[in-house]
Protein backbone atom coordinates (compact mmCIF):
# COMPACT_ATOMS: atom_id res chain seq x y z
CA UNK A 1 0.00 0.00 0.00
CA UNK A 2 2.69 2.54 1.01
CA UNK A 3 5.17 1.24 -1.56
CA UNK A 4 3.22 3.06 -4.30
CA UNK A 5 3.95 6.45 -2.71
CA UNK A 6 7.10 8.14 -4.10
CA UNK A 7 9.81 8.60 -1.44
CA UNK A 8 10.00 12.37 -1.97
CA UNK A 9 6.50 12.64 -0.48
CA UNK A 10 7.75 10.90 2.66
CA UNK A 11 10.65 13.35 2.85
CA UNK A 12 8.31 16.33 2.41
CA UNK A 13 5.82 14.97 4.94
CA UNK A 14 8.47 14.18 7.54
CA UNK A 15 10.05 17.61 7.03
CA UNK A 16 6.72 19.31 7.68
CA UNK A 17 6.28 17.14 10.79
CA UNK A 18 9.81 18.04 11.96
CA UNK A 19 9.01 21.75 11.63
CA UNK A 20 5.73 21.25 13.51
CA UNK A 21 7.41 19.23 16.29
CA UNK A 22 10.31 21.70 16.56
CA UNK A 23 7.88 24.58 16.95
CA UNK A 24 5.89 22.59 19.50
CA UNK A 25 9.04 21.87 21.55
CA UNK A 26 10.05 25.56 21.52
CA UNK A 27 6.61 26.65 22.75
CA UNK A 28 6.61 23.89 25.37
CA UNK A 29 10.04 24.92 26.65
CA UNK A 30 9.02 28.58 26.87
CA UNK A 31 5.98 27.64 28.96
CA UNK A 32 7.96 25.19 31.11
CA UNK A 33 10.35 27.91 32.22
CA UNK A 34 7.42 29.71 33.89
CA UNK A 35 6.63 26.78 36.19
CA UNK A 36 8.81 24.96 38.72
CA UNK A 37 10.32 21.73 37.50
CA UNK A 38 10.80 18.36 39.17
CA UNK A 39 12.41 14.99 38.55
CA UNK A 40 9.36 13.62 36.78
CA UNK A 41 9.28 16.48 34.25
CA UNK A 42 12.93 15.84 33.47
CA UNK A 43 12.68 12.04 33.18
CA UNK A 44 9.41 11.67 31.23
CA UNK A 45 10.56 12.93 27.76
CA UNK A 46 13.18 10.20 27.14
CA UNK A 47 10.84 7.54 28.53
CA UNK A 48 8.02 8.75 26.27
CA UNK A 49 10.33 8.97 23.28
CA UNK A 50 11.67 5.46 23.86
CA UNK A 51 8.36 4.06 22.63
CA UNK A 52 9.46 5.18 19.16
CA UNK A 53 11.99 2.33 19.17
CA UNK A 54 9.08 0.08 18.21
CA UNK A 55 9.70 1.32 14.66
CA UNK A 56 12.75 -0.95 14.50
CA UNK A 57 10.51 -4.01 14.60
CA UNK A 58 9.77 -3.19 10.97
CA UNK A 59 12.45 -3.99 8.40
CA UNK A 60 12.27 -0.68 6.50
CA UNK A 61 13.36 1.28 9.60
CA UNK A 62 16.35 -0.84 10.57
CA UNK A 63 19.72 0.87 10.46
CA UNK A 64 23.13 -0.73 9.76
CA UNK A 65 25.59 -0.73 12.71
CA UNK A 66 27.90 1.92 11.22
CA UNK A 67 25.00 4.34 10.71
CA UNK A 68 23.83 3.65 14.26
CA UNK A 69 27.28 4.73 15.52
CA UNK A 70 27.23 7.82 13.30
CA UNK A 71 23.74 8.80 14.51
CA UNK A 72 24.66 8.29 18.16
CA UNK A 73 27.88 10.29 17.75
CA UNK A 74 26.07 13.25 16.17
CA UNK A 75 23.33 13.06 18.83
CA UNK A 76 25.85 13.09 21.67
CA UNK A 77 27.68 16.06 20.15
CA UNK A 78 24.40 17.98 19.88
CA UNK A 79 23.47 17.02 23.44
CA UNK A 80 26.58 18.78 24.75
CA UNK A 81 25.24 22.04 23.29
CA UNK A 82 21.90 21.50 25.03
CA UNK A 83 23.60 20.53 28.30
CA UNK A 84 25.72 23.69 28.20
CA UNK A 85 22.68 25.92 27.73
CA UNK A 86 20.35 24.27 30.27
CA UNK A 87 20.65 25.84 33.70
CA UNK A 88 18.42 25.89 36.75
CA UNK A 89 17.64 28.66 39.20
CA UNK A 90 16.11 28.57 42.66
CA UNK A 91 13.17 30.82 43.48
CA UNK A 92 12.10 30.36 47.08
CA UNK A 93 11.64 26.62 47.59
CA UNK A 94 11.18 25.87 43.87
CA UNK A 95 13.61 25.09 41.08
CA UNK A 96 13.01 26.56 37.63
CA UNK A 97 14.68 25.88 34.33
CA UNK A 98 16.31 29.17 33.32
CA UNK A 99 15.25 30.61 30.02
CA UNK A 100 18.17 30.63 27.65
CA UNK A 101 18.15 33.09 24.78
CA UNK A 102 20.41 30.70 22.92
CA UNK A 103 18.02 27.74 23.31
CA UNK A 104 15.57 28.88 20.63
CA UNK A 105 18.42 29.52 18.21
CA UNK A 106 19.96 26.15 19.01
CA UNK A 107 16.65 24.37 18.39
CA UNK A 108 16.16 26.26 15.13
CA UNK A 109 19.73 25.42 14.12
CA UNK A 110 19.20 21.73 14.91
CA UNK A 111 15.96 21.76 12.94
CA UNK A 112 17.62 23.40 9.93
CA UNK A 113 20.52 20.91 10.17
CA UNK A 114 18.03 18.03 10.26
CA UNK A 115 16.12 19.30 7.23
CA UNK A 116 19.28 19.91 5.18
CA UNK A 117 20.75 16.55 6.18
CA UNK A 118 17.50 14.81 5.29
CA UNK A 119 17.40 16.48 1.87
CA UNK A 120 20.99 15.45 1.15
CA UNK A 121 20.82 11.94 2.61
CA UNK A 122 17.41 11.03 1.20
CA UNK A 123 18.96 10.67 -2.26
CA UNK A 124 21.34 7.94 -1.07
CA UNK A 125 19.63 6.37 1.98
CA UNK A 126 16.21 4.76 2.04
CA UNK A 127 13.57 7.00 3.66
CA UNK A 128 12.64 4.42 6.34
CA UNK A 129 16.28 3.86 7.25
CA UNK A 130 16.78 7.62 7.36
CA UNK A 131 13.82 7.93 9.74
CA UNK A 132 15.48 5.33 11.98
CA UNK A 133 18.76 7.22 11.88
CA UNK A 134 17.12 10.50 12.84
CA UNK A 135 15.22 8.82 15.68
CA UNK A 136 18.50 7.39 16.99
CA UNK A 137 20.16 10.81 16.66
CA UNK A 138 17.31 12.51 18.53
CA UNK A 139 17.27 9.91 21.30
CA UNK A 140 21.07 10.02 21.62
CA UNK A 141 20.74 13.78 22.00
CA UNK A 142 17.80 13.74 24.44
CA UNK A 143 19.00 11.02 26.82
CA UNK A 144 22.40 12.49 27.86
CA UNK A 145 20.86 15.96 28.03
CA UNK A 146 18.11 14.83 30.38
CA UNK A 147 20.50 12.76 32.50
CA UNK A 148 22.75 15.82 32.88
CA UNK A 149 19.70 17.93 33.76
CA UNK A 150 18.59 15.39 36.36
CA UNK A 151 22.05 15.31 37.97
CA UNK A 152 22.18 19.11 38.03
CA UNK A 153 18.62 19.28 39.42
CA UNK A 154 19.39 16.81 42.23
CA UNK A 155 22.53 18.76 43.21
CA UNK A 156 20.57 22.00 43.38
CA UNK A 157 17.69 20.37 45.24
CA UNK A 158 20.09 19.25 47.99
CA UNK A 159 21.08 22.88 48.63
CA UNK A 160 17.50 24.03 49.29
CA UNK A 161 16.58 24.00 52.98
CA UNK A 162 13.44 22.01 53.80
CA UNK A 163 10.22 23.90 54.44
CA UNK A 164 9.09 24.12 58.04
CA UNK A 165 5.72 22.43 58.33
Amino acid sequence: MFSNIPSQYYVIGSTIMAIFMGTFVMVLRMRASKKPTNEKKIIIPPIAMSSGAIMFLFEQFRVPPMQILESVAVGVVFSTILIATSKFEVKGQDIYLKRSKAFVFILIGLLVFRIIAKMILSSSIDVGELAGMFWILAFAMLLPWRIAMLIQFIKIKKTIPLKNI
Side-chain angles (χ1 to χ4, degrees):
M1 178 171 122
F2 292 113
S3 60
N4 296 335
I5 300 171
S7 65
Q8 59 264 32
Y9 291 128
Y10 289 123
V11 172
I12 292 167
S14 63
T15 301
I16 291 169
M17 281 301 294
I19 292 168
F20 172 75
M21 291 299 290
T23 305
F24 177 72
V25 167
M26 282 187 262
V27 170
L28 209 63
R29 283 291 304 241
M30 295 299 180
R31 286 185 180 179
S33 65
K34 295 177 183 177
K35 297 178 183 173
T37 194
N38 58 41
E39 291 92 339
K40 189 166 81 170
K41 289 179 182 178
I42 295 170
I43 295 170
I44 286 177
I47 293 170
M49 187 180 173
S50 67
S51 64
I54 292 171
M55 74 191 314
F56 297 112
L57 293 175
F58 301 96
E59 187 69 37
Q60 66 265 29
F61 296 109
R62 293 193 186 143
V63 180
M66 192 61 189
Q67 290 173 338
I68 292 171
L69 289 173
E70 291 167 355
S71 298
V72 169
V74 172
V76 169
V77 167
F78 287 161
S79 76
T80 59
I81 298 167
L82 294 171
I83 291 167
T85 59
S86 297
K87 304 290 179 214
F88 293 101
E89 62 184 344
V90 178
K91 293 181 183 176
Q93 293 284 318
D94 296 317
I95 302 172
Y96 290 79
L97 189 58
K98 264 190 197 178
R99 263 194 184 182
S100 169
K101 292 174 186 165
F103 186 78
V104 172
F105 296 110
I106 290 167
L107 275 183
I108 291 169
L110 291 172
L111 186 59
V112 168
F113 169 81
R114 182 178 193 262
I115 290 168
I116 292 170
K118 186 183 291 182
M119 297 298 178
I120 293 168
L121 295 173
S122 66
S123 63
S124 60
I125 298 175
D126 180 67
V127 176
E129 194 175 310
L130 196 56
M133 288 176 65
F134 278 109
W135 184 90
I136 293 167
L137 185 153
F139 193 72
M141 180 174 63
L142 182 68
L143 189 62
W145 175 39
R146 292 300 177 139
I147 290 170
M149 284 176 67
L150 183 61
I151 292 168
Q152 186 181 1
F153 179 86
I154 291 169
K155 284 180 183 176
I156 292 172
K157 188 176 178 181
K158 287 179 182 177
T159 66
I160 299 174
L162 296 175
K163 291 181 186 178
N164 293 330
I165 298 177

